[in-house]
Amino acid sequence: MKIIVTDTPDQAFQRAADMIAEEIRGPQASILGLATGRTMESIYRILVQQHDAGTLDFSGTTSFNLDEYVGLPPTDPNSYSHYMQEHLFSHVNMPAGQGHVPDGSAEDLDAECARYEAAIRAAGGLGLQLLGIGETGHIGFNEPPSAFDSRTRVVHLDDVTRRQNSGMFGDDPERVPERALTMGVGTILEARHLLLVAVGDNKAAIVDEALNGPISEAVSATAIRLHDDVTVILDAAAARIWRQNGHLPNSPENL
């Protein structure tokens, strides 16, 4: 595992965007696993800027998002499908149909989950998977406990997660859907490379637990330590407790 600690959130966002851009520019067609949230908005903004500057071509890129709320159609302003259109897809030259998000409004949710898994396999599997980390320690919406061999499925969202995500719903956790579709931990672990990004002091405790606590299905983010190609990018605030416990980045790239 490679851990990079930057002085500021903006440096963390830039470093993550540069890694994703390097994947897109690689010799093989890129199959990205993408995530949502405030942290990701900043990363996508940088990627769009690089595209606008003519230095990043998305025409050969395919992407699969981690999750989607159950019951929200793609046109709903609070859906992650709409989020991806707003923050990335509508601003770059990724061909229509190559940016995939689970359909939370599907009539048969189990069939939709199976279809999504099959689509990832048909595309050749995930290359770089971008991840955030929730306050419950989840990656994707893999709330505790989540089996490390779990696949794309319907999950019930923890009250902590609904509160954390309520900003998009008028700061009312009751308006946040109770269920979501998410890639499973097993699906995520099959990606060739994992890139987890976390900034802010509110992530410090869970980051330390994910990186140094027991590897347990009670904290799905601990599963990344079972993967052999992982980069974690933290700002100084998110790394605070981890550093207090005597840990230092095992990379010279401490920006």
Side-chain angles (χ1 to χ4, degrees), residues 237-251:
R240 177 180 59 83
I241 296 176
W242 181 70
R243 280 175 153 173
Q244 286 175 354
N245 289 336
H247 303 286
L248 295 173
N250 57 2
S251 163

Side-chain angles (χ1 to χ4, degrees), residues 17-64:
D18 288 345
M19 289 188 63
I20 296 169
E22 182 179 355
E23 177 78 9
I24 292 171
R25 297 189 185 105
Q28 298 179 336
S30 56
I31 311 296
L32 300 177
L34 297 181
T36 54
R38 294 290 176 85
T39 295
M40 307 310 162
E41 290 176 23
S42 298
I43 294 171
Y44 295 149
R45 187 178 304 115
I46 295 169
L47 293 174
V48 169
Q49 290 169 352
Q50 293 185 10
H51 173 266
D52 290 345
T55 62
L56 192 58
D57 177 13
F58 283 79
S59 62
T61 298
T62 299
S63 69
F64 292 88

Side-chain angles (χ1 to χ4, degrees), residues 174-224:
E174 293 300 316
R175 291 179 54 198
V176 180
E178 295 182 356
R179 296 188 299 159
L181 305 183
T182 186
M183 282 188 201
V185 179
T187 311
I188 293 168
L189 290 179
E190 288 178 355
R192 176 173 48 80
H193 181 78
L194 303 182
L195 171 59
L196 188 147
V197 185
V199 300
D201 193 70
N202 65 314
K203 296 296 178 72
I206 195 61
V207 162
D208 184 60
E209 186 172 358
L211 297 181
N212 298 296
I215 296 177
S216 167
E217 294 178 351
V219 179
S220 64
T222 62
I224 69 171

